[in-house]
Amino acid sequence: MPGGGPCPEDVSHRERRRIEIEGHDPRDELERGCRVWTRLGAFDHTKLMVVDGTWTLLGSANWDARSLRLNFELNVECYCSELGGRLEQLVRARIAKSRPVTLAQVNARPLPVKLRDGVARLFAPYL
């Protein structure tokens, strides 16, 4: 997305409560300059990256070694400015209906939630 920080993609999460429930801590993304949003509504499992409005990677596979090796999911790579432009419009529309998550909000979570998330991260490679 144009105007982004050092992080090549923006991260969108369903809602702050879901972040806490799933144990995902967006601190790493926020500290690296990524922008993170939260929104109400249906959870979107799609992984999407659009580079320069032309190159698109779209699919359901998580972008980590374990998922790419073990899971039976699919990503599609496309080089098409028409598709890339349309997908960027859709992302912008979704972001417009979302609210930003800040590092201050993440750091303000209660200690039990932070401890639970820390323990969950230890087991993440095995889940």
Side-chain angles (χ1 to χ4, degrees):
M1 298 285 295
C7 183
E9 69 276 332
D10 294 316
V11 181
S12 177
H13 295 281
R14 180 173 177 218
E15 53 188 309
R16 189 171 200 299
R17 186 171 48 99
R18 183 170 184 85
I19 292 170
E20 292 176 358
I21 290 170
E22 289 187 348
H24 177 76
D25 182 352
R27 182 184 355 255
D28 290 342
E29 291 89 353
L30 291 166
E31 287 176 346
R32 289 184 174 105
C34 293
R35 296 171 292 172
V36 178
W37 289 271
T38 183
R39 68 179 178 85
L40 297 174
F43 175 71
D44 188 349
H45 184 67
T46 302
K47 282 59 169 197
L48 170 66
M49 181 177 3
V50 180
V51 178
D52 296 332
T54 303
W55 182 85
T56 301
L57 182 65
L58 173 69
S60 60
N62 293 324
W63 298 339
D64 60 65
R66 181 188 171 282
S67 294
L68 293 172
R69 187 185 61 209
L70 298 176
N71 293 344
F72 297 100
E73 298 192 53
L74 178 70
N75 286 338
V76 175
E77 177 183 14
C78 302
Y79 190 83
C80 174
S81 57
E82 183 178 342
L83 174 64
R86 179 67 182 127
L87 289 172
E88 282 186 337
Q89 289 175 353
L90 292 172
V91 168
R92 286 188 184 107
R94 175 145 312 163
I95 288 171
K97 296 177 183 177
S98 304
R99 65 179 175 82
V101 175
T102 66
L103 190 56
Q105 290 171 323
V106 173
N107 289 335
R109 292 173 302 150
L111 181 60
V113 172
K114 290 179 184 179
L115 291 172
R116 181 208 57 208
D117 292 353
V119 170
R121 286 183 93 169
L122 293 174
F123 293 98
Y126 306 104
L127 299 177

